[in-house]
Amino acid sequence: MDVRSVGAQYAEMMKLQEKTLLEAKKRKGERPCDRKSREHTYNKFMVHLLATGFKEDRHQVHSSFVPPAYPPCTTPVDELRHIAINQLQLETHHRGTYLLLHSITPPNRMTAIMAVMEDENSDVMMVQLYQQEDEGNRAAVDIVNVGTILLIKEPYFKVMGDGEYGLRVDHLSDVIHIKEDDARSPRAWQPRLVEIGNSVESLKAKGNLSMEKSRYWDAIAEYSDALECPATADQIDVIKRNRSLGFLKNKQFDAGLADSGFPNFNRNPNDKALYRAAEALYGLENFGQCCQVLELLCTNFPHNTEASKSLVRAQSRSLEQKTGAYDFKLLQAKAKKLRPPHLDHATYIGPVEIRQTEFKGRGLFVTKAVKAGDLLLCEKAFSHAYADEGADAGNKSSSKISILLNPGSKQGFMGTQADLIKLIVQKLFRNPSLAPAFTTLYHGTYEGVSTPTVDGQSIVDTFLVERIVALNVFGCPVSSLDSHNERCGRLSLLHGRSGDEGAHHSCGIWRHASYINHSCMSNARRAFIGNMMIVRASRDLEAGTEITFWYHSPDANSVKDLDKKLKHWGFTCRCALCLDARATDMNVFQKRQRLIGSLKREFEKSTLPIKSAESIEHLLDALNQTYKKPAETVPRLLIWDPQLALTRLYAMKHKAGKTVESAAKVLTSLGFVVVGADSSQTCLAIVKWGLLVDHLVEVFEHLETAFAAMGALEDSERAKKCAKTTYKILVGEDVSFQKTYCQTEKKIVEWKNLGGRS
């Protein structure tokens, strides 16, 4: 949804990759006798490493392929059998076995972290580790470096892209870092000088030093070693509190919460333990329990100012979560300033619930009647990958734009999807309690493993994550306010509006919004502020109505193009618009295009005297005649744009009556049912809302200005209210409305001075 799909552009590349995979499969089970020598493999790797300078070029767009899916290992390592490199078979997942490898090179970070590693027989091969942390969070040399020992579970031996052989590891839990003094480590890999006499206090001191250096992963390991030593109850409490902080810094909120002692604190809980528990609960977005812990902390330690500040912060999140009351002006300011634009705010789930639909799987339904503009969701992204395409595109806090191609599904995306997959894999690996909420999202026919943990580590199926992301990802701007202003800055389709609107490089997963099904006749609209998605009703809905919004905006010219876009989700849209388009004869489509061409030529004339309006109106009438069903049932998407251009013409000539009449026709073409937008004495009112486009705010502004010029001040105020509601639906909030549309008051004064001609 709103992501840049490039499957068609890279179809040939995917075909070539499929051919390569088929050729590789022919060698399945083969033990290659042409493996390169240790010296050749080492030298080739080091030359490439030196050539790249081990620097990430964040401006270069890399491409990567999603390999054929395979499940992670679910067998405990103690039940696996040790094998060596010379026993490996090509294109094979060696189930029931493990490899013990020792790195002989520094790492090179590309799409994966790569290093040349040896086994105890001194045979070597390239190893690729995928889904590892970004360089900005943890340097590659802290994951693999010369001397690092890795245990690779059920290794996948394959033909690499350059035709040589190596291991590819896609699942985080399939790799275990082994200490040099581990009993499984061969003697030749063990340190010559063995450190002896490590006590609980010395290991704790090491952990403290690592914390000071922000090497949280080392600190966690050292505190864990300390807890293996004989220790008093007090020492254990202190070390666990320290390790809890390390976990929190590493965003391992589940483990940090467990080490804090929550929920079974003793009668006199330590202030640090309480604070650690509160931080972990906040990170898990459990704001209710977070407030309870902080209230206890503030009661027991009334002079703890940090606790008081944290309580106010947590209470704000809890209030947002319960009521949906947000300071949207503050949200917009934060989104404009922060990079990445990740906002510290809570998710609000409004009057909605997930239910089974008749034909479309699960969907989201309103539980009570709502009005157009009402807030249904204000949801924080489960995960969000931001692509900074401006002056700071080299900022390490942003994700890299890359091309992710999946030959199996024939799909390709340009954007931050590859980084998003990695972010989600890392998040679930660190916090297994969050997995059920994510893995229950729609994932097509792919079934992941059911075993949640192995060897004390959570199991995250990378390919399940990839499928969920592919089917549920939303492309997003930093702010829909900016997108709205940009789109409204382009006059119309007749004046060259881009056909690639709405596609973004930044993307994310919003869990509840993922349950909203598609319809071109949408009754809700999504907007973004940073990593917050705001979903509002775009028309009045009765209780029990399914919420829908479009995954791709309806195409007035070709239903086939829309069908191609929706094929990705495995369905064909059966809304009134699509059914009517399929039933419409090709000759009618061609006639419409001829009329649009004539309209374009009329509008492109160097001068547009008001008498040209008559010719334009005749063409618009002819275009309307090509539609059989009423616009209320099937909106006329080719009409609103030229009709709005005509409305502008009347407004420029200060023809108030004609402006009202033309603006009303714009609304009608979009499926609105409006009364009072004529010369009658009926008050202006929207009986039924239609489809929303960004230029709709302008339509209501024309009505506001024209009614004011005619002296119909109450109708002018009603039109302004409609403009504000429309803006709120499109942008997500209305606090910026006055600033964005500040010229309307001036126009009203100008028209009044001219006498409001009709």
Side-chain angles (χ1 to χ4, degrees), residues 57-63 386-389 393 398-403 414-417 419 505-506:
D57 183 356
R58 301 189 69 84
H59 297 278
Q60 184 178 354
V61 177
H62 293 283
S63 62
Y386 167 70
D388 193 337
E389 301 168 60
S398 68
S399 292
K400 297 184 292 295
I401 295 174
S402 62
I403 297 168
M414 175 181 275
T416 56
Q417 284 83 352
D419 266 14
H505 285 139
S506 298

Side-chain angles (χ1 to χ4, degrees), residues 705-741:
T705 308
F707 276 129
M710 294 164 63
L713 299 182
E714 290 184 359
D715 279 343
S716 176
E717 194 58 36
R718 291 186 186 100
K720 181 178 181 179
K721 186 177 179 182
C722 290
K724 194 171 183 180
T725 299
T726 302
Y727 179 89
K728 179 167 64 173
I729 297 168
L730 293 167
V731 173
E733 47 82 9
D734 58 10
V735 293
S736 59
F737 174 75
Q738 201 62 39
K739 183 178 179 181
T740 305
Y741 288 91

Side-chain angles (χ1 to χ4, degrees), residues 278-315:
E279 282 188 295
L281 290 165
Y282 194 97
L284 294 169
E285 299 184 24
N286 189 337
F287 301 116
Q289 286 190 309
C290 177
C291 287
Q292 293 174 12
V293 172
L294 286 170
E295 285 166 0
L296 177 61
L297 176 55
C298 290
T299 299
N300 290 5
F301 302 92
H303 300 298
N304 190 324
T305 55
E306 285 301 314
S308 299
K309 291 178 184 177
S310 295
L311 178 58
V312 171
R313 176 182 173 224
Q315 287 172 335

Side-chain angles (χ1 to χ4, degrees), residues 652-659 709-710 751 754-758:
M652 285 167 55
K653 299 298 180 179
H654 301 102
K655 296 288 185 180
K658 283 289 190 180
T659 300
M710 294 164 63
W751 275 46
L754 289 167
R757 290 173 291 169
S758 60

Side-chain angles (χ1 to χ4, degrees), residues 540-675:
D540 300 344
L541 303 176
E542 294 297 322
T545 303
E546 185 186 359
I547 302 164
T548 60
F549 51 37
W550 55 56
Y551 291 0
H552 287 282
S553 57
D555 191 330
N557 298 310
S558 172
V559 72
K560 289 182 179 179
D561 288 343
L562 182 61
D563 285 345
K564 286 179 184 177
K565 293 174 182 177
L566 297 178
K567 185 180 178 182
H568 168 53
W569 288 279
F571 71 86
T572 300
C573 185
R574 313 247 347 138
C575 74
L577 270 170
C578 290
L579 291 175
D580 182 71
R582 292 188 186 97
T584 301
D585 190 87
M586 183 54 67
N587 292 330
V588 176
F589 280 116
Q590 292 171 349
K591 183 178 182 180
R592 289 173 184 172
Q593 289 307 310
R594 288 195 298 271
L595 289 167
I596 288 292
S598 298
L599 280 164
K600 188 174 181 179
R601 286 189 291 275
E602 286 292 327
F603 281 109
E604 284 177 345
K605 288 179 179 178
S606 56
T607 58
L608 268 175
I610 198 66
K611 64 181 181 181
S612 298
E614 187 175 344
S615 174
I616 293 169
E617 284 185 344
H618 283 313
L619 288 169
L620 283 169
D621 286 342
L623 189 56
N624 264 304
Q625 298 281 327
T626 66
Y627 291 89
K628 294 181 180 179
K629 294 185 178 178
E632 176 187 351
T633 306
V634 181
R636 300 172 179 181
L637 298 182
L638 284 174
I639 300 287
W640 74 265
D641 193 33
Q643 188 71 58
L644 174 55
L646 180 60
T647 306
R648 290 193 188 109
L649 174 60
Y650 286 134
M652 285 167 55
K653 299 298 180 179
H654 301 102
K655 296 288 185 180
K658 283 289 190 180
T659 300
V660 169
E661 180 185 329
S662 184
K665 289 180 179 179
V666 177
L667 295 174
T668 300
S669 69
L670 288 168
F672 282 76
V673 177
V674 183
V675 296

Side-chain angles (χ1 to χ4, degrees), residues 31 70 141 174 245 294 301 328 486 503 606:
R31 286 183 181 167
Y70 65 93
V141 293
D174 284 353
L245 180 59
L294 286 170
F301 302 92
F328 284 111
E486 182 184 349
S606 56

